[in-house]
């Protein structure tokens, strides 16, 4: 296995050891695979349409996000933000692992560096989302298993599971020499208040979109 993406074939890298994920062919990131627990994207879109305030917020996030350039924040909390620069499946897994750490400790600055370095409003939004969950609640992200990723030269999917059940994937893009979420996926994650925390919220019956609960 090599960490350097090879456009001629897939790579795999293992996260938590109790799950194996293998795929053939190049990875194509789709929002329908995004891990927001058992709340699928169709349901989220329906909820957005029924709440104009959320719809306007989502549109502002997508249109206003500025993407480009590599920006590494200083990770005083111990979150290793440099992992985004590691190519291949192994780098994608390590990026997912550090996203989980940032959510566990409530480090919005590092989270935004890992996920969306071009959005100036990211830290303020996620700081509020993290502060709205207690430290004990945020530690529940450790119950989410990170599986074996697959990656092409431009994209990766990192599968997640909860209690041994697969719960979708984190779709990452290789852009500007680093891993990050694509703009549309990031817009939904921002509204959900985190990658791993949105999955925890779903399992705890607390999933919200832009602060508005999504009915079960």
């Amino acid at each position: 296995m090599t960490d350097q993406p090879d456009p001629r074939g897939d790579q795999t890298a293992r996260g938590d050891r109790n799950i194996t994920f293998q795929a053939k062919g190049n990875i194509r990131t789709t929002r329908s695979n995004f891990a927001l627990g058992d709340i699928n994207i169709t349901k989220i879109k329906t909820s957005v349409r029924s709440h104009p305030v959320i719809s306007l917020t989502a549109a502002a996030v997508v249109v206003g996000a500025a993407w480009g350039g590599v920006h590494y924040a200083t990770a005083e909390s111990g979150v290793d933000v440099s992992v985004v620069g590691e190519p291949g499946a192994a780098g994608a897994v390590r990026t997912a692992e550090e996203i989980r750490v940032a959510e566990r400790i409530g480090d919005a600055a590092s989270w935004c560096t890992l996920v969306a370095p071009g959005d100036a409003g990211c830290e303020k939004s996620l700081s509020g989302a993290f502060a709205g969950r207690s430290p004990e609640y945020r530690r529940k992200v450790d119950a989410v298993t990170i599986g074996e990723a697959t990656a092409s030269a431009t994209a990766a999917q990192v599968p997640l599971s909860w209690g041994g059940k697969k719960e979708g994937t984190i779709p990452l893009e290789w852009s500007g020499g680093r891993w990050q979420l694509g703009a549309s996926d990031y817009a939904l994650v921002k509204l959900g208040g985190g990658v791993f925390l949105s999955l925890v919220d779903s399992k705890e019956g607390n999933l919200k979109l832009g602060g508005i609960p999504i009915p079960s």
Side-chain angles (χ1 to χ4, degrees):
M1 180 189 305
T2 174
D3 285 348
Q4 183 63 38
D6 183 353
R8 296 173 299 176
D10 294 329
Q11 299 179 51
T12 62
R14 187 174 301 279
D16 298 334
R17 294 182 180 277
N18 61 345
I19 182 172
T20 299
F21 183 85
Q22 193 75 24
K24 300 296 184 181
N26 289 332
I27 294 302
R28 295 186 182 278
T29 301
T30 59
R31 282 175 289 176
S32 60
N33 289 331
F34 189 72
L36 284 176
D38 52 9
I39 307 299
N40 61 35
I41 296 303
T42 300
K43 186 171 184 179
I44 290 176
K45 288 180 178 178
T46 300
S47 179
V48 168
R49 283 195 295 268
S50 66
H51 296 90
V53 173
I54 294 179
S55 182
L56 289 174
T57 302
V61 170
V62 174
V63 173
W67 301 88
V70 178
H71 174 242
Y72 298 139
T74 301
E76 298 178 354
S77 65
V79 179
D80 184 1
V81 297
S82 70
V83 297
V84 298
E86 297 181 17
V93 167
R94 291 197 62 191
T95 297
E97 290 171 344
E98 293 302 317
I99 292 171
R100 180 170 60 181
V101 173
E103 294 188 13
R104 181 198 307 128
I105 65 179
D107 183 353
S110 294
W111 189 94
C112 292
T113 299
L114 291 163
V115 174
D119 181 10
C122 175
E123 185 174 349
K124 180 178 180 180
S125 176
L126 268 295
S127 292
F130 292 166
R133 290 122 155 169
S134 69
E136 293 77 14
Y137 188 88
R138 292 198 307 271
R139 282 196 290 270
K140 293 182 180 182
V141 298
D142 288 333
V144 182
T145 300
I146 299 173
E148 186 175 350
T150 59
S152 68
T154 58
Q157 291 187 13
V158 184
L160 305 181
S161 65
W162 179 280
K165 179 183 177 182
K166 292 181 179 179
E167 295 291 345
T169 64
I170 303 174
L172 296 173
E173 294 182 354
W174 182 259
S175 176
R178 57 157 292 156
W179 290 113
Q180 63 189 48
L181 282 179
S184 57
D185 291 313
Y186 164 62
L188 290 173
V189 171
K190 185 176 181 179
L191 289 173
V195 178
F196 293 87
L197 282 170
S198 64
L199 178 53
V200 172
D201 288 346
S202 174
K203 296 304 176 182
E204 296 289 331
N206 300 320
L207 187 60
K208 299 178 180 180
L209 193 63
I212 298 177
I214 296 180
S216 59

